[in-house]
Amino acid sequence: MYFWLCFVVGAILFKGVSLAQAQPKQVDAFAGGDIILPCTFNIPANKDIPTVEWSKVVEGPKPVIVFLYRDGCEIFGMKDPDFEYRTNLILRQLQYGNYSLRISELKLSDSGTYQCLIIQKNGAKEQTQVELVVDSLSDPKFSVVSTDGGEVTVECKALCWKPAPFMTILDDEGKRLSDEQPKQEQDPRGCYNTKQNVTLLKPVNRLVCRVEQTGRNQSKVAEILLPGFWKESQSAAICLSAAGTAIGCLTSFTLYRLIKKRSSSEGRTQLQTATKSDQIKGSGSSDPFIQQSMADNKLNSMTEEKQTYNQNLKLLNKSSS
Ligand SMILES: *[C@@H]1O[C@H](CO)[C@@H](O)[C@H](O)[C@H]1NC(C)=O
Ligand SMILES: *[C@@H]1O[C@H](CO)[C@@H](O)[C@H](O)[C@H]1NC(C)=O
Ligand SMILES: *[C@@H]1O[C@H](CO)[C@@H](O)[C@H](O)[C@H]1NC(C)=O
Ligand SMILES: *[C@@H]1O[C@H](CO)[C@@H](O)[C@H](O)[C@H]1NC(C)=O
């Protein structure tokens, strides 16, 4: 009786263990960042350094060799060019039986299953698999896209996110402004570009665009400040209704035109935009391409934008006094 019970429990336990091994451990990372794929065996490499072969599991006859280490040296001949200069073992860890692989400058296409194979001098083999998931996110951008007839349309863009994110545009009080679904399209890099427009009929000081991946607990936020703009369009409206009755009004209307002209000639991201990321988890690295273009953008536009924004404010101050 007890024997049978033990046997059944033992069989269940055994099954549980083999299932756990069949499911490779998952490691999450972000494009542009680094990651360590774990692989540890109780085979210290202090005497005979075993052969370590890291490969990516792909369909087809041959695995993609990502890293090959034999007789204490890396063997380059069979290494897939896509991983050149991007993979390495942590040499000081080999003596503890830790054959983990570091992959740097991660790409979205690195996602997949990797195999760590250890071949000892006596021919004994050990292997394990790791599932790598590479995601991508970038800072969202907010801009004014049109200012027709006293209405202001703003657009929020979040480029190259994977998986596809949710986007919401909120006003000062945290109220959602659009019920429309954001436009989402696939990027050739294997990620998603998300865009959403909101047309404002009433003055709003500040808008927030929130982009989130709920599954991975990631979110980023962009802000746009609009007070200057609303002063402009209101003074214009007052002037139009009082058409030419007061000189002061005429002047301020001219100033409004001037500002508007300046705005349209200097591009759309005229008003001060602030991008703030409140990343909750993860390394925060994104596609280096995106990072670079973000950095360029910031350098080019932040100072200029601030200057014109301040100039506009000064003109408005003058015209209203
Ligand atoms: C293996 O080495 C890596 C890199 O130093 C380290 O992060 C990891 O914790 C090590 N694994 C074990 C099981 O010690
Ligand atoms: C937002 O509006 C601009 C200007 O009208 C347009 O070019 C853009 O495609 C719109 N974007 C979306 C997501 O509808
Ligand atoms: C998301 O992150 C926050 C802050 O770190 C944490 O409190 C929360 O439990 C996380 N939620 C999930 C589902 O991981
Ligand atoms: C405009 O006027 C307000 C108050 O009158 C002042 O706080 C602000 O600094 C002024 N802005 C500029 C750019 O002069």
Side-chain angles (χ1 to χ4, degrees):
M1 177 66 194
Y2 279 119
F3 169 78
W4 278 109
L5 199 62
C6 284
F7 181 77
V8 170
V9 169
I12 290 167
L13 281 179
F14 181 73
K15 207 172 171 203
V17 167
S18 58
L19 270 181
Q21 278 174 343
Q23 190 71 40
K25 184 180 155 67
Q26 185 179 317
V27 175
D28 296 326
F30 286 98
D34 296 358
I35 191 69
I36 291 178
L37 299 182
C39 173
T40 328
F41 292 110
N42 198 12
I43 318 170
N46 46 7
K47 287 208 185 104
D48 283 337
I49 299 166
T51 295
V52 183
E53 183 197 283
W54 272 98
S55 57
K56 190 174 180 189
V57 180
V58 290
E59 278 180 39
K62 278 199 211 156
V64 170
I65 300 293
V66 167
F67 193 91
L68 183 58
Y69 189 81
R70 194 184 288 150
D71 301 326
C73 295
E74 182 178 0
I75 311 292
F76 292 97
M78 280 143 69
K79 184 168 181 170
D80 189 279
D82 196 27
F83 288 92
E84 225 154 55
Y85 312 119
R86 295 201 297 131
T87 52
N88 236 317
L89 296 180
I90 297 108
L91 293 180
R92 72 191 134 73
Q93 287 284 342
L94 292 182
Q95 58 185 309
Y96 307 114
N98 182 346
Y99 307 103
S100 301
L101 181 78
R102 178 201 290 279
I103 308 182
S104 49
E105 292 164 46
L106 285 167
K107 305 174 186 178
L108 287 169
S109 58
D110 290 340
S111 293
T113 305
Y114 290 79
Q115 175 169 280
C116 169
L117 172 67
I118 307 296
I119 308 168
Q120 287 177 267
K121 282 279 186 283
N122 63 9
K125 288 183 183 178
E126 300 271 5
Q127 66 178 60
T128 185
Q129 290 195 339
V130 189
E131 174 88 27
L132 172 64
V133 177
V134 181
D135 285 352
S136 164
L137 38 81
S138 64
D139 284 325
K141 291 225 173 72
F142 233 151
S143 58
V144 174
V145 290
S146 94
T147 56
D148 286 342
E151 292 179 357
V152 182
T153 303
V154 294
E155 182 183 54
C156 182
K157 268 192 229 181
L159 301 181
C160 200
W161 279 58
K162 187 181 168 233
F166 292 99
M167 179 183 278
T168 35
I169 298 179
L170 309 163
D171 68 7
D172 305 38
E173 289 141 20
K175 214 176 74 194
R176 231 185 118 164
L177 284 182
S178 176
D179 301 326
E180 266 179 50
Q181 277 299 106
K183 272 189 201 157
Q184 212 148 55
E185 61 191 21
Q186 215 159 352
D187 188 283
R189 287 172 285 179
C191 47
Y192 294 88
N193 296 332
T194 309
K195 295 176 189 175
Q196 186 167 21
N197 276 2
V198 163
T199 299
L200 304 162
L201 306 171
K202 281 188 306 193
V204 175
N205 282 325
R206 174 177 159 267
L207 292 180
V208 170
C209 176
R210 172 172 280 275
V211 187
E212 44 197 337
Q213 276 167 353
T214 48
R216 289 202 52 191
N217 211 1
Q218 291 291 333
S219 76
K220 280 180 177 266
V221 164
E223 270 183 4
I224 190 165
L225 302 170
L226 299 162
F229 178 83
W230 287 107
K231 273 189 210 157
E232 287 167 26
S233 57
Q234 273 166 356
S235 71
I238 293 163
C239 289
L240 284 174
S241 67
T245 48
I247 288 172
C249 200
L250 200 67
T251 333
S252 88
F253 182 64
T254 322
L255 277 169
Y256 165 63
R257 301 296 309 191
L258 202 108
I259 291 162
K260 208 170 169 198
K261 222 179 218 160
R262 192 195 285 265
S263 306
S264 47
S265 70
E266 285 191 18
R268 282 171 170 176
T269 47
Q270 178 57 231
L271 296 161
Q272 185 188 354
T273 61
T275 309
K276 183 177 74 184
S277 62
D278 63 352
Q279 207 171 304
I280 297 161
K281 190 192 108 198
S283 62
S285 36
S286 52
D287 194 326
F289 167 78
I290 295 169
Q291 275 180 346
Q292 189 51 47
S293 66
M294 259 161 27
D296 287 345
N297 243 345
K298 254 180 208 149
L299 277 180
N300 292 342
S301 62
M302 272 311 209
T303 43
E304 259 177 52
E305 271 173 22
K306 252 207 178 107
Q307 276 168 7
T308 19
Y309 182 72
N310 284 341
Q311 272 167 8
N312 286 358
L313 272 187
K314 262 186 209 141
L315 290 171
L316 285 162
N317 273 4
K318 267 189 215 149
S319 68
S320 58
S321 59

